[in-house]
């Protein structure tokens, strides 16, 4: 497994945490604010941030730190961990304010995300055939999904979020639900359909188009992830919120993607 991978503004590092409680110090990027997401691979670790707050992180959990300059990782048993650094600007809608630390536990997407990251770090020639921007975008989406899930649906109603931000976050959280429609979105945001349409008109789109765009992006992520190779295209369509494979193909065509089979072939060949 490689020890470091740089893809655009995103870094993935393999951390070898020494046994006996000796600290492993990780310096975060200094050029721009970032979010560091840590995934223990073997044993539990203790993460100490800039403020000297400590959190125990088990192998079935993860933790993210927003805008920290450095942190330390300890473990009595030692072990390996993956650290993913993404620009704060890429996930600021979900990460929270600078200095924030949050533990991610009980996540349904944590397992597949870790498996994908390990696969990326273990791959060599296969990785070189994929566009760097595509891998980076996929990592950003995965990190944002973990952060959003850690906050829960209640956080979507925070007054500090603008109406467009709230709408986009709600779609991201519920895009896999086929009952999500512009009508149900307006109801969840407690606004009228006309108000919702005006919100999206300001960005040159519509609620329906944004729902389908986010579902299409999720389908692309699944089709290009080895962890979901066992799923048929119809199953990917259902898990992405589409009615069937034909509905998925129409969405891909509308947003300029290749066919689902061709998209999957990018990583499988």
């Amino acid at each position: 497994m490689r020890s470091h991978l740089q893809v655009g503004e995103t870094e993935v590092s393999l951390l070898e945490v020494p046994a006996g409680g000796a600290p492993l110090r990780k310096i975060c990027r200094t050029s721009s604010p970032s979010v560091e997401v840590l995934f223990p691979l073997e044993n539990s670790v203790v993460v100490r941030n800039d403020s000297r707050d400590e959190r125990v992180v088990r192998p079935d959990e993860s933790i993210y730190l927003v805008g920290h300059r450095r942190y330390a990782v300890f473990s009595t048993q030692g072990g390996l961990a993956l650290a993913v650094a993404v620009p704060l600007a890429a996930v600021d809608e979900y990460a929270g304010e600078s200095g924030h630390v949050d533990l991610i536990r009980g996540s349904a997407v944590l397992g597949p995300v870790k498996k994908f990251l390990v696969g990326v770090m273990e791959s060599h020639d296969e990785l070189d055939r994929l566009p760097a921007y595509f891998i980076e975008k996929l990592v950003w989406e995965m990190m944002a999904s973990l952060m959003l899930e850690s906050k829960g649906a209640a956080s979507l109603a925070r007054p500090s979020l603008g109406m467009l931000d709230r709408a986009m976050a709600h779609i991201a959280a519920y895009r896999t639900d086929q009952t999500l429609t512009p009508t149900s979105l307006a109801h969840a945001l407690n606004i009228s359909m006309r108000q919702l349409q005006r919100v999206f008109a300001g960005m040159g789109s519509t609620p329906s188009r944004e729902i389908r765009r986010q579902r299409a992006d999720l389908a692309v992520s699944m089709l290009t992830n080895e962890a979901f190779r066992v799923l048929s295209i119809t199953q990917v369509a259902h898990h992405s919120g589409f009615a069937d494979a034909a509905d998925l193909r129409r969405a891909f065509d509308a947003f300029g993607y290749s066919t689902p089979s061709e998209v999957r072939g990018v990583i499988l060949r």
Side-chain angles (χ1 to χ4, degrees):
M1 183 183 296
R2 68 179 81 200
S3 60
H4 182 263
L5 174 67
Q6 178 87 39
V7 185
E9 297 182 80
T10 300
E11 300 176 5
V12 185
S13 304
L14 179 66
L15 306 183
E16 297 184 16
V17 186
L24 173 67
R25 303 191 185 279
K26 176 71 164 63
I27 305 299
C28 305
R29 70 170 67 220
T30 57
S31 58
S32 61
S34 66
V35 178
E36 289 263 342
V37 190
L38 185 76
F39 302 86
L41 297 182
E42 297 174 347
N43 302 313
S44 296
V45 300
V46 176
V47 176
R48 178 189 295 165
N49 63 18
D50 281 346
S51 303
R52 303 189 69 80
D53 296 327
E54 294 186 351
R55 301 284 187 96
V56 177
V57 191
R58 302 183 308 181
D60 60 345
E61 298 172 339
S62 183
I63 191 171
Y64 66 90
L65 305 92
V66 184
H68 286 256
R69 296 179 60 186
R70 65 182 65 83
Y71 60 92
V73 187
F74 306 80
S75 177
T76 56
Q77 297 174 292
L80 300 175
L82 283 178
V84 180
V86 299
L88 177 56
V91 293
D92 59 355
E93 185 176 348
Y94 312 102
E97 298 179 356
S98 183
H100 182 70
V101 179
D102 207 348
L103 191 65
I104 302 171
R105 55 162 59 101
S107 168
V109 299
L110 180 58
V113 168
K114 286 178 64 174
K115 186 172 182 179
F116 171 81
L117 292 172
V118 170
V120 166
M121 296 299 281
E122 290 179 340
S123 64
H124 291 280
D125 295 339
E126 296 84 355
L127 185 64
D128 295 335
R129 291 200 294 267
L130 293 174
Y133 75 89
F134 185 82
I135 297 175
E136 183 173 40
K137 181 181 178 182
L138 185 55
V139 171
W140 287 359
E141 290 183 351
M142 289 181 172
M143 298 305 107
S145 296
L146 285 172
M147 294 170 198
L148 180 62
E149 192 176 38
S150 75
K151 295 178 182 300
S155 67
L156 300 179
R158 290 182 301 169
S160 60
L161 289 177
M163 187 57 69
L164 178 60
D165 291 333
R166 289 177 56 195
M168 297 288 276
H170 189 89
I171 294 172
Y174 295 97
R175 58 187 171 177
T176 60
D177 187 346
Q178 293 184 19
T179 65
L180 175 64
T181 64
T183 300
S184 68
L185 176 59
H187 180 76
L189 298 176
N190 197 28
I191 61 176
S192 69
M193 179 59 69
R194 181 167 295 182
Q195 287 175 300
L196 182 65
Q197 290 170 339
R198 282 201 297 267
V199 167
F200 281 92
M203 60 177 288
S205 186
T206 66
S208 179
R209 177 176 175 81
E210 182 57 28
I211 290 172
R212 289 181 67 78
R213 186 194 68 78
Q214 290 205 26
R215 285 172 172 167
D217 287 348
L218 177 60
V220 169
S221 299
M222 296 179 68
L223 288 168
T224 53
N225 188 338
E226 283 287 343
F228 299 107
R229 185 176 181 177
V230 297
L231 299 181
S232 67
I233 290 177
T234 297
Q235 289 173 318
V236 168
H238 289 161
H239 285 296
S240 303
F242 291 101
D244 50 35
D247 193 22
L248 174 62
R249 286 194 295 271
R250 286 193 293 270
F252 271 29
D253 183 63
F255 293 107
Y257 291 126
S258 301
T259 67
S261 296
E262 290 171 341
V263 170
R264 168 167 276 177
V266 169
I267 197 167
L268 298 184
R269 61 171 176 261

